[in-house]
Amino acid sequence: MAESKSNLEAQLLKLIISDTNNERTLDASLKDSLKALKDTAKDNIALKDAYGNSLAATGTDDKAQSFTKYMYSNDTLNWWLWTALYSDSWVFKRCIDKPAEDMIDAGIEIHSNDKNIEKVINDIASHRSDFINLLKWGYLYGGSVAVMLLDNIVDDSEYAKPMNVNRLQACKTIRLYVTDRWYGISAHGNETVTDMSSEDFGYPVRYDLTFANGKSIVVHHDYVLRYKHRIAPKLIETGQLQGWGYSEGSHLLNELARDDKIKADITSLMNKSLIEVIKMAGMRGVFMGADEDGEQQLRKRLEMVNWGRTFNSLTFLDKDDEYQEHSFSGLSGLSDMLEKQMVLVAGAAEMPGLLFGDLKNGIGTDSQAMDRWEQVIHSRDETFLRPVYKKFLQIEFLRFDIKEIPSFDFRYMQEKKHNDERMTSMNTCIDILSKLLADGILTTRKYAESLAAYLKTGSLDIDFTDKELYDLNDRTQEEFENINIDK
């Protein structure tokens, strides 16, 4: 039936093409229409003269072309794709969860001597899980928000107004409501923040916030901590991404797809590495469905074969049956292929040696992997997380009446290791300064000043003024004058 239909289509196409060449039997309008149809028909004939195998992913259905051609896609906007991957792929979930957790666990060091600074530190610690969720959903979808809710605001319309400092200082608890860019948060109107000193400059002044129960309120940007993940070019950010960033998975998708395909191919190859063939009489009738009694007998016989194999590792067949075994031994290189692909996935996630662990000596044996990962986390803290903490600290300083400009640094994950390195470096600095002091080149005051500068900046810089050099020269001449040549 398919062949006759194809032949009929071909004859109709040939008829259309031949009729358009006969100008005497066609009027002008019909001739133009058929000419356009002829061009389309020729294209269709050319398209049908091709080979495509969707099962083998070859020919016109070659899926591997997606790995060799780079085209701009909107995968970042496919929130359902990232949701499915986060639910089903443990590799992808680890690429989202671990960076978010490590960025928050590293913590911050606030530079302040105010007596209320401990309250700020404790408040930040109480919101640890909220900040982790803020980063997780930001990683997953390219952006997220945490809305600060005050316990002394009863009328929800108050959230649409700028934050009141007196109300902020009077509140006892601040709760953070975290949601991603796709669910429950959207810009309210077209007005944007014009205050260039604000962390929200260029972003919406107000947002429409919808809670999980369906209730919606308008929220002023003062209450919103906005997290934007991987920064996009301005054309893409303001247009397609609507002010948000790229999803973390947008640059992992190809490697994850290749990894899953290789795993599926390896599983398929292993399943086919041992093929058993049993030849029995009457199989053709069973296959054609013409011998139901034979089919039931066949099922019983195969059940007995599997029973014998399960309990006794034996295969029982009739003497007239034929058994063949086809095995494939070329499986030795599959582990190397899988390990190399795992390295590629870990590299794309910037987690070499950590995403899967050290493949040869166990998880955690690659000492340099942790150092590399620490630098990645510290860089992401400075790039993506600093605006969030900066705004939250501004709110906290207002709340506890700390009259300082918030200043903080991100701690390193291996803080003890860095402290040990600083102590070793400081001891070396002290040895150098002590030798200079003993030789009379440094005064006690200069010694203390140089050490204080080193502790503050981390670099040893001994700078002499013209007066100090002049005094040092006078002291040297005086020492030479006091030398007794006879002695």
Side-chain angles (χ1 to χ4, degrees), residues 29-141:
S29 60
L30 182 60
K31 183 170 64 177
D32 292 340
S33 300
L34 288 179
K35 187 176 185 306
L37 185 60
K38 178 183 73 171
D39 296 336
T40 304
K42 286 182 177 179
D43 293 339
N44 289 335
I45 293 176
L47 288 175
K48 289 186 177 295
D49 188 18
Y51 171 76
N53 189 325
S54 59
L55 294 179
T58 58
T60 57
D61 293 303
D62 187 0
K63 302 299 186 298
Q65 288 186 358
S66 62
F67 300 108
T68 59
K69 294 181 179 179
Y70 294 92
M71 300 293 292
Y72 184 76
S73 66
N74 61 344
D75 287 333
T76 289
L77 305 181
N78 291 343
W79 60 267
W80 55 267
L81 172 63
W82 309 129
T83 305
L85 278 172
Y86 187 79
S87 301
D88 298 340
S89 172
W90 74 266
V91 178
F92 183 74
K93 186 176 186 297
R94 183 169 170 82
C95 292
I96 299 299
D97 290 352
K98 182 169 178 55
E101 293 167 357
D102 288 347
M103 287 173 68
I104 299 301
D105 288 344
I108 62 174
E109 181 179 355
I110 305 174
H111 307 303
S112 175
N113 296 320
D114 194 279
K115 61 181 181 179
N116 290 326
I117 199 63
E118 287 297 326
K119 296 180 181 179
V120 176
I121 295 174
N122 293 335
D123 207 30
I124 292 177
S126 68
H127 292 299
R128 174 183 176 276
S129 60
D130 295 323
F131 282 117
I132 289 178
N133 288 332
L134 178 69
L135 265 63
K136 280 185 180 181
W137 311 143
Y139 266 75
L140 187 61
Y141 299 114

Side-chain angles (χ1 to χ4, degrees), residues 385-447:
L385 187 55
R386 177 168 285 277
V388 176
Y389 268 142
K390 184 177 179 181
K391 183 173 181 179
F392 187 69
L393 285 178
Q394 290 173 348
I395 300 298
E396 289 288 287
F397 275 37
L398 285 174
R399 179 186 178 190
F400 296 109
D401 196 25
I402 300 177
K403 301 184 183 304
E404 298 177 6
I405 298 176
S407 175
F408 66 96
D409 290 318
F410 288 98
R411 291 194 180 100
Y412 284 93
M413 296 171 58
Q414 304 178 91
E415 192 67 22
K416 183 179 182 303
K417 177 182 177 182
H418 286 277
N419 287 336
D420 292 341
E421 291 176 352
R422 282 193 289 266
M423 289 298 296
T424 302
S425 178
M426 186 175 68
N427 288 332
T428 302
C429 175
I430 291 175
D431 290 340
I432 295 173
L433 294 176
S434 298
K435 290 179 180 179
L436 294 176
L437 179 64
D439 293 339
I441 298 176
L442 292 181
T443 62
T444 305
R445 179 182 178 83
K446 192 66 177 180
Y447 178 99

Side-chain angles (χ1 to χ4, degrees), residues 76-232:
T76 289
L77 305 181
N78 291 343
W79 60 267
W80 55 267
L81 172 63
W82 309 129
T83 305
L85 278 172
Y86 187 79
S87 301
D88 298 340
S89 172
W90 74 266
V91 178
F92 183 74
K93 186 176 186 297
R94 183 169 170 82
C95 292
I96 299 299
D97 290 352
K98 182 169 178 55
E101 293 167 357
D102 288 347
M103 287 173 68
I104 299 301
D105 288 344
I108 62 174
E109 181 179 355
I110 305 174
H111 307 303
S112 175
N113 296 320
D114 194 279
K115 61 181 181 179
N116 290 326
I117 199 63
E118 287 297 326
K119 296 180 181 179
V120 176
I121 295 174
N122 293 335
D123 207 30
I124 292 177
S126 68
H127 292 299
R128 174 183 176 276
S129 60
D130 295 323
F131 282 117
I132 289 178
N133 288 332
L134 178 69
L135 265 63
K136 280 185 180 181
W137 311 143
Y139 266 75
L140 187 61
Y141 299 114
S144 57
V145 298
V147 180
M148 292 175 281
L149 305 176
L150 309 186
D151 60 353
N152 58 353
I153 293 183
V154 180
D155 186 1
D156 291 337
S157 63
E158 291 294 322
Y159 284 108
K161 304 174 184 178
M163 184 178 291
N164 185 284
V165 177
N166 293 330
R167 189 185 298 276
L168 173 66
Q169 293 177 344
C171 79
K172 296 181 180 180
T173 304
I174 294 180
R175 296 295 301 269
L176 296 182
Y177 180 78
V178 180
T179 186
D180 59 83
R181 59 158 296 194
W182 290 111
Y183 180 81
I185 194 72
S186 61
H188 180 80
N190 298 322
E191 188 180 2
T192 58
V193 178
T194 57
D195 181 7
M196 298 181 66
S197 64
S198 172
E199 290 297 319
D200 298 322
F201 174 73
Y203 295 133
V205 172
R206 291 176 179 82
Y207 296 86
D208 290 319
L209 175 66
T210 302
F211 295 95
N213 61 0
K215 181 180 179 181
S216 298
I217 63 174
V218 179
V219 180
H220 192 272
H221 72 92
D222 284 350
Y223 294 92
V224 178
L225 300 176
R226 180 186 176 107
Y227 175 79
K228 181 173 65 174
H229 198 50
R230 295 186 178 272
I231 301 173

Side-chain angles (χ1 to χ4, degrees), residues 477-487:
Q477 290 180 0
E478 184 179 348
E479 290 176 356
F480 273 107
E481 290 175 357
N482 293 333
I483 295 176
N484 193 325
I485 300 178
D486 294 336
K487 289 183 179 181

Side-chain angles (χ1 to χ4, degrees), residues 296-324:
Q296 295 298 326
Q297 292 179 14
L298 174 65
R299 292 181 181 276
K300 290 292 185 182
R301 292 177 68 183
L302 290 178
E303 287 178 5
M304 293 303 296
V305 169
N306 289 328
W307 171 85
R309 175 180 295 165
T310 301
F311 289 96
N312 301 296
S313 299
L314 299 174
T315 299
F316 297 99
L317 297 174
D318 190 85
K319 67 175 183 178
D320 295 328
D321 294 337
E322 182 181 346
Y323 174 83
Q324 296 178 354

